[in-house]
């Protein structure tokens, strides 16, 4: 999979179709409705159930959707944590080839560092993991 960045207005499904990523066997994907029809080989895909026209979702489907949204919200929080760095979310005017990818990698690394030290303050066990 290409670690390249794309402009915000390009649809994720189109990027996936162009890149055609290969996932390790047994991977699990939690996808939103924007990826309907995308079923990569050797993976298990979970997508929220749509409400039938004129009917309500069953209790089972609502529970299933809640489970999927619980997993996906973690990803959304990570993305918003990375976008706290304005260089990532604002218009980037540097035209050097590959520089925007490097900026994204640094922003992801800084986010991971912040999360590591944030965990340090949460529990005594986490504190030991950080310093040992």
């Amino acid at each position: 999979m290409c670690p390249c960045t794309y402009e915000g207005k390009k649809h994720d499904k189109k990027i996936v179709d162009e890149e055609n990523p290969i996932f390790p066997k047994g991977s699990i994907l939690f996808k939103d409705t924007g990826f309907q029809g995308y079923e990569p080989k050797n993976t298990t895909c979970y997508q929220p159930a749509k409400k039938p026209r004129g009917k309500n979702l069953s209790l089972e489907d609502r529970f299933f959707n809640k489970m999927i949204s619980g997993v996906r919200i973690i990803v959304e929080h990570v993305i918003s944590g990375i976008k706290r760095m304005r260089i990532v979310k604002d218009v980037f005017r540097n035209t050097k080839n590959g520089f925007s990818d490097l900026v994204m990698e640094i922003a992801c690394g800084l986010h991971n560092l912040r999360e590591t030290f944030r965990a340090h303050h949460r529990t005594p066990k986490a504190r030991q993991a950080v310093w040992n």
Side-chain angles (χ1 to χ4, degrees):
M1 192 159 161
C2 178
C4 303
T5 53
Y6 290 88
E7 57 186 321
K9 62 184 177 183
K10 190 161 189 176
H11 196 278
D12 296 339
K13 172 76 166 62
K14 192 171 191 172
I15 294 169
V16 166
D17 289 339
E18 288 173 5
E19 294 292 334
N20 196 21
I22 299 170
F23 296 95
K25 190 174 185 171
S27 294
I28 299 174
L29 297 180
F30 292 91
K31 55 186 186 169
D32 62 18
T33 52
F35 287 92
Q36 196 157 5
Y38 178 67
E39 299 286 333
K41 292 180 181 176
N42 301 320
T43 62
T44 304
C45 294
Y46 295 104
Q47 184 172 339
K50 285 187 176 181
K51 179 180 169 276
R53 185 174 279 163
K55 298 180 182 177
N56 290 326
L57 282 174
S58 69
L59 186 61
E60 182 181 289
D61 284 340
R62 287 194 312 221
F63 178 77
F64 180 71
N65 286 356
K66 191 130 180 117
M67 182 209 53
I68 291 174
S69 67
V71 171
R72 291 185 56 235
I73 195 70
I74 295 167
V75 175
E76 296 298 332
H77 286 161
V78 169
I79 292 169
S80 70
I82 293 166
K83 287 185 175 181
R84 282 189 191 126
M85 286 154 248
R86 288 190 51 199
I87 193 169
V88 175
K89 70 177 177 180
D90 291 348
V91 175
F92 188 61
R93 301 191 190 283
N94 194 320
T95 56
K96 283 187 177 179
N97 193 19
F99 203 73
S100 59
D101 297 335
L102 178 63
V103 167
M104 181 57 94
E105 287 179 31
I106 292 169
C108 291
L110 288 171
H111 172 76
N112 289 341
L113 181 68
R114 182 175 55 230
E115 285 299 308
T116 300
F117 283 98
R118 188 173 288 158
H120 164 72
H121 294 289
R122 288 184 188 141
T123 63
K125 259 188 184 173
R127 236 174 285 155
Q128 285 178 342
V130 170
W131 297 110
N132 292 334

